Amino acid sequence: MCGIVAYIGYSEAFPILINGLKHLEYRGYDSSGIALLQKGQTTNIFKKKGKVKELERYCEGKDMTGCLGMAHTRWATHGEPNDTNAHPHVSMRRLFTIVHNGIIENYGKLKKDLSEKGYTFYSETDTEVLANLIEYMYVQGEVLDAEQAVRMALSRVVGAFGLVVMCQAEALKLIAARRSSPLAIGIGQNEYYLASDATPLVEYTQRVVYLDDNDVAILTSNSFTLKTIDVDKEKIPEIQKLELSIGALEKNGYDHFMLKEIFEQPETIEASFRGRINTKNNEIILGRLTDVMPRILEAQRIVLIACGTSWHAALIGEYLIEELARIPVEVEYASEFRYRNPVLSSNDVVLAISQSGETADTLSAVRMAKEHQAMVLGICNVVGSSMSRETDAGIYTHAGSEIGVASTKAFTAQVTVLTLLALRLARLKQTIPEERFHAIVTDLLAAPEKIRTILQSSNHIQYIANKYRDAVNALYLGRGYLFPVALEGALKLKEISYIHAEGYAAGEMKHGPIALIDNNIPVVVVAPKDRYYEKVVSNIQEVKARKGNVIAVVSMGDNRLKGMVNDVLEIPESDPIVTPLLTVIPLQLFAYYIAVLRGCDVDQPRNLAKSVTVE
Ligand code: G6P
């Protein structure tokens, strides 16, 4: 949520900043801005409502020189999206300029105190309050320099922040700090790059330092000092090698990142299980869990926590682990779990699932679970993310950078990894017969090829999408493993096409959603040949009897359903354990094509952000 990029060095900052903003735009895109500072001159600030291209257009023909600068792309929290509320923000005497990601929870009180001291405010943002608090500390004279003013101000702040500060009077310096909102620093030769995540850095350097909570970094073009907010003592930065390729950040000929990411799934699923399945001795290898495995096996239950699409993967994880390994599992929205005082103890294992590893609610739930002495594990896509560093152990999904705001390949990677985990636990607990294990593994290994087959039918899916593009509501139904897939299909459609869509357990349809059915509503039913097939066929008949339009995801060659429903999306047959990976693909494409046909901004749907780092 909100993207920050900053630069200090000997090159012109503007191209680096605007380029960085484009990479970070998926984090928020309602307004953006840039501040540039040259020694001995005043700070120049350029801000514009709308996407980064609006800002770029606005900057054309203006003097954008400066080797020190910061930029921001916003997802509004305090104050509507407009030029005034856009970042960077400046303090009243224009001494400090700041970009900020997160929420200052006590900003109301701070604003009141500052107002009483004569401060006035031009925006509705919490960030402007923080800029003025820093300035107030600075002009009071109790501190030596800008760094101390920042540290003292932040010690009074309640809330989350990833921020960068420039001080007009100390114009060769950038000060950055984080608490619960990520910041990465790229290290160049006499130059430093700062960003909310590593994507804008990869073009310039492979060496990166991820700030920890309460870290403060002070950067000049040739020095990097790391301290904490509370302790005025230098820390040694831990430099890591960036595991990202520039190619992953390009569309590679696809119209949208989402389409590219849908089509990448055969490879990303393969990457998720590569090196983790030993077919010779029927073993699953999850190296990072080796040390904690005894505790997982002894756990009285596993609690899966996540948000959004990751929560849908968690629901599938529940079914998988309970069916295969016979360990009780609960699934919780991280945002509920963290506030509802759950019963947790050292006998519980909490497994957090997050693509980004930065979702604020998931991270808070992780911290809360740790306070209760539960062992906390993670399934995460972004290497080096906060979640990967704060959990006791975990599994990376290795899906590569996901840029489209609507998650696709990260979901199938999470489901793949959860399948591996369930199989590993089942082997260790001896709850799975050898042949069954072998059958599932064989089908899992075959999933990428089957997905390639499904992707080949994209023209047909596009044709069906065209028939339903004007729908106002849509219903998605599935049972068993395919109930979460129905939820995910509905979420995809809702997120990117703005058609109201609900996912439901097919068996529950008669308890409410059946009232919605008429000849206008498309009902997408996930109905491959599995043990629920006959039940789902009955559900389809109930819909048809009420003149609903049924689009069914069916096993290839299912002529019975073909004759019964309006449209079919076919998938190759597979073990039911693996069908979520296959059935979700046509639903992703269906949502994608409908959104494109409706003229929606698929990669950056309105009001959403990829990484929700605020509560
Ligand atoms: C946002 C994104 C979703 C994502 C969810 C959880 O809402 O738009 O695509 O599923 O956050 O994100 P995480 O990174 O924790 O998986």
Side-chain angles (χ1 to χ4, degrees):
M1 203 118 292
C2 303
I4 288 175
V5 57
Y7 173 79
I8 184 164
Y10 52 84
S11 303
E12 284 299 329
F14 178 69
I16 297 167
L17 298 177
I18 205 87
N19 194 21
L21 283 185
K22 286 178 186 165
H23 284 309
L24 291 177
E25 204 172 14
Y26 71 90
R27 299 176 70 91
Y29 33 82
D30 61 41
S31 54
S32 57
I34 286 190
L36 295 164
L37 180 55
Q38 299 219 70
K39 195 168 183 231
Q41 297 189 11
T42 51
T43 310
N44 281 323
I45 298 177
F46 310 86
K47 309 202 281 190
K48 212 69 207 141
K49 181 180 171 184
K51 301 213 167 167
V52 172
K53 59 177 186 298
E54 303 296 334
L55 176 70
E56 200 174 14
R57 215 168 286 145
Y58 175 68
C59 294
E60 267 167 20
K62 299 197 167 64
D63 177 13
M64 304 305 292
T65 48
C67 299
L68 174 69
M70 53 167 68
H72 188 271
T73 178
R74 180 169 187 249
W75 185 87
T77 56
H78 293 75
E80 64 168 285
N82 57 28
D83 293 356
T84 311
N85 288 330
H87 296 218
H89 285 286
V90 279
S91 57
M92 195 174 73
R93 296 179 178 83
R94 302 192 72 80
L95 279 176
F96 286 89
T97 310
I98 176 172
V99 286
H100 164 224
N101 180 11
I103 290 181
I104 308 300
E105 285 169 18
N106 59 339
Y107 90 106
K109 163 93 175 60
L110 295 171
K111 191 170 184 174
K112 185 166 167 282
D113 292 350
L114 287 164
S115 302
E116 282 164 12
K117 293 179 171 78
Y119 272 86
T120 54
F121 299 86
Y122 61 84
S123 78
E124 298 157 77
T125 65
D126 50 346
T127 306
E128 189 196 355
V129 175
L130 183 54
N132 282 322
L133 182 64
I134 296 169
E135 185 181 272
Y136 174 72
M137 298 296 171
Y138 191 75
V139 297
Q140 277 300 296
E142 284 170 27
V143 295
L144 281 178
D145 56 13
E147 172 210 321
Q148 281 196 5
V150 170
R151 290 180 39 240
M152 189 175 275
L154 293 181
S155 67
R156 304 209 175 163
V157 158
V158 178
F161 49 81
L163 54 88
V164 184
V165 179
M166 292 192 311
C167 175
Q168 173 107 15
E170 297 177 30
L172 295 174
K173 198 186 275 179
L174 281 177
I175 301 166
R178 85 156 258 175
R179 185 183 291 155
S180 301
S181 197
L183 270 184
I185 298 178
I187 301 172
Q189 288 288 338
N190 293 329
E191 55 187 349
Y192 292 94
Y193 309 83
L194 257 143
S196 308
D197 70 40
T199 44
L201 312 180
V202 66
E203 281 176 48
Y204 309 105
T205 179
Q206 294 283 305
R207 300 167 73 222
V208 65
V209 173
Y210 295 99
L211 293 193
D212 281 326
D213 267 353
N214 296 314
D215 275 356
V216 178
I218 305 102
L219 303 166
T220 69
S221 60
N222 54 15
S223 72
F224 175 0
T225 313
L226 191 60
K227 296 183 181 175
T228 62
I229 292 170
D230 302 324
V231 185
D232 190 4
K233 199 171 145 218
E234 283 192 35
K235 279 175 70 177
I236 311 236
E238 189 194 328
I239 300 173
Q240 300 188 23
K241 189 168 178 303
L242 210 48
E243 290 183 31
L244 253 183
S245 74
I246 301 178
L249 310 178
E250 307 293 338
K251 285 189 207 151
N252 297 344
Y254 286 94
D255 287 344
H256 297 95
F257 279 109
M258 183 180 176
L259 189 63
K260 173 189 164 223
E261 288 156 6
I262 291 173
F263 272 81
E264 276 174 352
Q265 288 174 106
E267 290 78 40
T268 52
I269 289 173
E270 240 155 33
S272 301
F273 62 59
R274 186 172 301 128
R276 290 170 167 168
I277 301 175
N278 184 338
T279 42
K280 287 206 184 83
N281 62 1
N282 274 351
E283 275 311 342
I284 302 293
I285 304 134
L286 297 170
R288 287 172 195 262
L289 294 190
T290 309
D291 293 346
V292 294
M293 203 42 100
R295 204 163 150 198
I296 305 178
L297 293 171
E298 279 164 20
Q300 63 184 11
R301 62 173 182 163
I302 299 176
V303 184
L304 303 180
I305 52 169
C307 304
T309 287
S310 299
W311 185 79
H312 295 155
L315 286 178
I316 296 173
E318 175 186 30
Y319 286 30
L320 287 167
I321 296 170
E322 291 207 341
E323 176 172 344
L324 298 178
R326 314 303 300 153
I327 301 173
V329 176
E330 281 171 34
V331 180
E332 298 259 5
Y333 283 119
S335 54
E336 287 296 312
F337 181 71
R338 58 177 295 204
Y339 285 119
R340 69 168 187 79
N341 197 12
V343 180
L344 263 183
S345 75
S346 55
N347 295 327
D348 293 312
V349 167
V350 171
L351 172 57
I353 305 174
S354 172
Q355 187 284 129
S356 61
E358 303 293 352
T359 302
D361 285 319
T362 310
L363 285 175
S364 301
V366 162
R367 290 171 195 144
M368 191 265 274
K370 285 176 91 170
E371 278 163 24
H372 284 78
Q373 271 76 51
M375 188 172 72
V376 185
L377 309 175
I379 290 179
C380 185
N381 193 37
V382 178
V383 176
S385 61
S386 302
M387 200 176 94
S388 68
R389 287 180 293 134
E390 293 189 31
T391 42
D392 296 310
I395 316 171
Y396 280 122
T397 46
H398 296 311
S401 290
E402 190 179 66
I403 311 284
V405 165
S407 184
T408 52
K409 64 175 181 172
F411 172 76
T412 45
Q414 289 165 343
V415 173
T416 303
V417 160
L418 283 160
T419 310
L420 295 176
L421 176 63
L423 287 168
R424 175 78 183 130
L425 294 172
R427 287 291 284 165
L428 290 168
K429 293 199 73 180
Q430 301 182 337
T431 48
I432 187 165
E434 196 91 355
E435 320 77 70
R436 178 93 183 94
F437 178 92
H438 192 70
I440 296 171
V441 163
T442 305
D443 271 12
L444 187 57
L445 290 169
E449 211 38 57
K450 291 180 183 175
I451 291 174
R452 283 188 190 103
T453 308
I454 299 168
L455 292 170
Q456 277 166 13
S457 63
S458 62
N459 284 344
H460 174 64
I461 299 173
Q462 189 171 12
Y463 164 78
I464 296 175
N466 195 34
K467 288 169 74 173
Y468 299 99
R469 58 189 281 184
D470 296 323
V472 179
N473 294 297
L475 188 60
Y476 283 68
L477 303 174
R479 290 181 100 116
Y481 289 105
L482 306 177
F483 159 48
V485 169
L487 294 176
E488 177 59 10
L491 178 62
K492 287 295 85 105
L493 187 70
K494 176 161 42 192
E495 280 181 313
I496 60 172
S497 75
Y498 318 138
I499 294 174
H500 169 247
E502 270 190 71
Y504 243 84
E508 278 290 298
M509 182 184 65
K510 53 190 172 291
H511 300 294
I514 199 162
L516 297 173
I517 291 171
D518 58 18
N519 59 0
N520 290 319
I521 190 168
V523 182
V524 180
V525 188
V526 194
K529 289 221 172 107
D530 59 14
R531 68 186 152 119
Y532 301 103
Y533 180 72
E534 290 302 332
K535 304 272 176 224
V536 177
V537 170
S538 303
N539 296 140
I540 288 174
Q541 272 162 341
E542 287 154 15
V543 175
K544 288 305 299 173
R546 287 157 185 85
K547 301 199 170 17
N549 299 299
V550 176
I551 305 142
V553 179
V554 302
S555 301
M556 250 163 209
D558 182 347
N559 292 327
R560 184 173 161 206
L561 274 184
K562 264 191 199 167
M564 197 185 289
V565 303
N566 301 66
D567 291 286
V568 292
L569 309 169
E570 289 184 293
I571 58 149
E573 283 206 39
S574 181
D575 190 287
I577 298 281
V578 180
T579 47
L581 291 176
L582 308 186
T583 47
V584 78
I585 308 289
L587 302 189
Q588 294 169 344
L589 283 169
F590 183 65
Y592 170 79
Y593 287 122
I594 287 196
V596 171
L597 288 162
R598 288 165 70 98
C600 299
D601 188 342
V602 171
D603 281 336
Q604 295 175 347
R606 71 182 178 209
N607 303 340
L608 294 178
K610 180 93 191 136
S611 206
V612 184
T613 56
V614 294
E615 280 185 44

